[in-house]
Amino acid sequence: MRILVTGGAGFIGSHFARMMCERADVERVVVFDALTYAGNLNSILDLEDSPKFKFCLGRIQDEVAVHEVLGSEKVSHMVNFAAETHNDRSLLDVGSFIQTNVFGVHILFEATRKFGLQRMLHVSTDEVYGSTLSGTFTEQSPLEPNTPYSASKAGGDLQCRGHFVAFETPVVVTRGGNNYGPYQYPEKLIPFFATRLLEGKKVPVYGDGSQVREWIHVLDHCEGIFVALQKGTDGEIYNIGDHNERQNMHVVKVLLEETQRDNSFVKHIEDPRKGAHDARYSMTTDKIEALGWHPSRNFETELLSTVNWYRNNPEWWKKIQAKPDYSDFVQRFYGASLGADL
Ligand SMILES: NC(=O)c1ccc[n+]([C@@H]2O[C@H](COP(=O)([O-])OP(=O)(O)OC[C@H]3O[C@@H](n4cnc5c(N)ncnc54)[C@H](O)[C@@H]3O)[C@@H](O)[C@H]2O)c1
């Protein structure tokens, strides 16, 4: 396999690229990434030592750049992680989400067809299903996204279907649960809270924190993506989850314990979403498990390891914190509610 990993300088894509570099059956690993605020070459520094690895700077909306890399690198498989990914940012700026997650994905599908790739796997999210209080989403569940982010991701997923049915483009979609692990940009719940608590700052919890998220370790997710890439069926969708349903407040309590902080470090704030905040995500995973994939990492153990990773790698996240992208967002999004606790 000669794999193009779009968005491979981001959180999940960097783990996937590393996993691919370690596989004997993968000949070439090319990361194609625009290095937006969320892209980070420091997350893939170690890959520079691998003779099979290459980094290319480019945006997935840029057809010329995409065609250039597919042709020159003789790519056989593409895995698309490139996306605008933060729900909260999508409340501030919808346009960039549509540009990358809808239009950019269109460019990648067209290129998959034009260059005759063996397979393109599009990485999506459980959030396209919306929220369910008591049920569990299957791959057949209707798409009811509730934020501009999840709506833009659903736009990408539906193009997969359109391409497969109309052109038999060899595409597969995976929908993952909430990921956690090292190298996650510290605006997302676990690293945002972990880094703030390590620094002795308060953490802002939306409402009472009773929202339920289904967590999966990033490496379990990447292994599932590779199984779907190798063994999935064209045109099919595969949920990838680990059934670790936890209320946000439960996660916060573990983080408080692990960083030796008490409840005074929690500030409950008003939810910025005008409508309801998604209450609960939950997915069945029989389909991907039938291909031989099973998650193997324990949530509680790996959550502690993740906090330790942030504790032991302050240079990685402090460099991000020092950039205006990060501080401007935190100020804009939490400034009013956190006030002096910002
Ligand atoms: N993080 C999660 O919990 C989660 C769960 C399920 C699915 N996903 C999906 O997995 C994928 C990766 O998520 P992540 O958390 O690693 O995201 P991330 O924000 O950490 O990384 C995204 C990467 O994409 C790059 N990128 C953004 N726009 C680009 C463009 N136009 N062209 C090229 N590169 C671009 C960024 O520079 C960055 O390196 C996304 O598609 C996301 O929707 C994420």
Side-chain angles (χ1 to χ4, degrees):
M1 284 185 177
R2 297 179 65 88
I3 303 187
L4 186 73
V5 184
T6 53
F11 166 44
I12 309 174
S14 64
H15 286 280
F16 186 79
R18 184 169 296 105
M19 200 177 266
M20 294 304 100
C21 283
E22 286 162 4
R23 289 193 67 96
D25 53 356
V26 175
E27 186 186 319
R28 187 76 165 148
V29 180
V30 181
V31 163
F32 181 88
D33 197 295
L35 296 182
T36 66
Y37 79 93
N40 192 342
L41 289 177
N42 290 330
S43 305
I44 48 174
L45 265 187
D46 55 317
L47 303 190
E48 298 287 348
D49 296 335
S50 167
K52 58 171 90 162
F53 176 78
K54 182 173 175 182
F55 176 79
C56 286
L57 181 67
R59 298 163 73 229
I60 60 169
Q61 302 92 304
D62 183 345
E63 189 173 47
V64 175
V66 170
H67 288 189
E68 159 60 26
V69 69
L70 289 179
S72 63
E73 290 295 335
K74 299 187 177 58
V75 170
S76 62
H77 295 72
M78 170 159 48
V79 181
N80 177 40
F81 294 90
E84 289 295 338
T85 61
H86 193 33
N87 263 316
D88 288 347
R89 284 188 192 247
S90 80
L91 305 177
L92 302 172
D93 167 27
V94 183
S96 59
F97 285 72
I98 301 297
Q99 275 298 319
T100 295
N101 302 356
V102 181
F103 183 71
V105 172
H106 148 74
I107 296 290
L108 298 183
F109 286 141
E110 286 292 287
T112 298
R113 196 155 68 95
K114 184 171 163 74
F115 282 80
L117 300 195
Q118 289 176 40
R119 175 158 286 165
M120 189 274 205
L121 185 146
H122 176 61
V123 179
S124 189
T125 164
D126 59 356
E127 299 189 30
V128 297
Y129 297 121
S131 173
T132 176
L133 275 179
S134 55
T136 301
F137 296 119
T138 73
E139 289 83 354
Q140 273 74 47
S141 296
L143 301 189
E144 294 180 344
N146 291 323
T147 66
Y149 161 67
S150 47
S152 67
K153 290 298 293 185
D157 293 19
L158 289 174
Q159 292 181 71
C160 278
R161 181 184 161 83
H163 258 270
F164 175 70
V165 175
F167 308 119
E168 294 188 332
T169 311
V171 287
V172 167
V173 176
T174 57
R175 293 183 178 143
N178 273 42
N179 282 227
Y180 68 100
Y183 296 114
Q184 187 168 28
Y185 190 87
E187 66 185 356
K188 305 281 171 63
L189 193 143
I190 288 176
F192 184 49
F193 284 15
T195 53
R196 283 185 70 87
L197 290 170
L198 287 169
E199 289 185 301
K201 292 180 179 167
K202 291 192 181 181
V203 293
V205 173
Y206 293 144
D208 62 2
S210 63
Q211 307 90 342
V212 174
R213 297 292 174 261
E214 194 190 310
W215 295 97
I216 180 168
H217 191 270
V218 62
L219 294 179
D220 279 325
H221 187 199
C222 288
E223 286 164 4
I225 289 169
F226 190 66
V227 165
L229 182 69
Q230 274 192 313
K231 301 185 186 164
T233 302
D234 288 337
E236 293 292 324
I237 296 164
Y238 298 90
N239 290 341
I240 304 180
D242 192 13
H243 314 293
N244 293 309
E245 293 187 27
R246 300 286 187 282
Q247 288 198 333
N248 285 347
M249 241 359 252
H250 171 84
V251 174
V252 172
K253 280 188 185 135
V254 176
L255 296 177
L256 288 173
E257 270 168 36
E258 187 53 18
T259 53
Q260 288 97 45
R261 307 289 181 202
D262 59 27
N263 286 336
S264 67
F265 281 82
V266 175
K267 188 159 184 179
H268 292 275
I269 63 168
E270 198 184 322
D271 201 310
R273 289 162 220 204
K274 297 258 183 279
H277 196 120
D278 284 355
R280 176 174 169 265
Y281 302 135
S282 177
M283 290 186 295
T284 59
T285 52
D286 309 351
K287 207 167 153 182
I288 184 79
E289 300 217 32
L291 298 182
W293 170 84
H294 305 286
S296 62
R297 292 160 183 91
N298 174 274
F299 178 68
E300 267 67 31
T301 312
E302 293 297 336
L303 183 54
L304 299 190
S305 304
T306 299
V307 176
N308 276 328
W309 187 86
Y310 286 96
R311 179 182 280 124
N312 296 331
N313 292 278
E315 70 291 347
W316 184 86
W317 50 271
K318 282 188 189 276
K319 273 189 194 144
I320 294 173
Q321 281 185 338
K323 291 186 182 165
D325 269 325
Y326 179 83
S327 46
D328 288 355
F329 168 74
V330 174
Q331 170 66 44
R332 201 168 157 200
F333 214 78
Y334 298 106
S337 46
L338 279 178
D341 292 318
L342 191 66

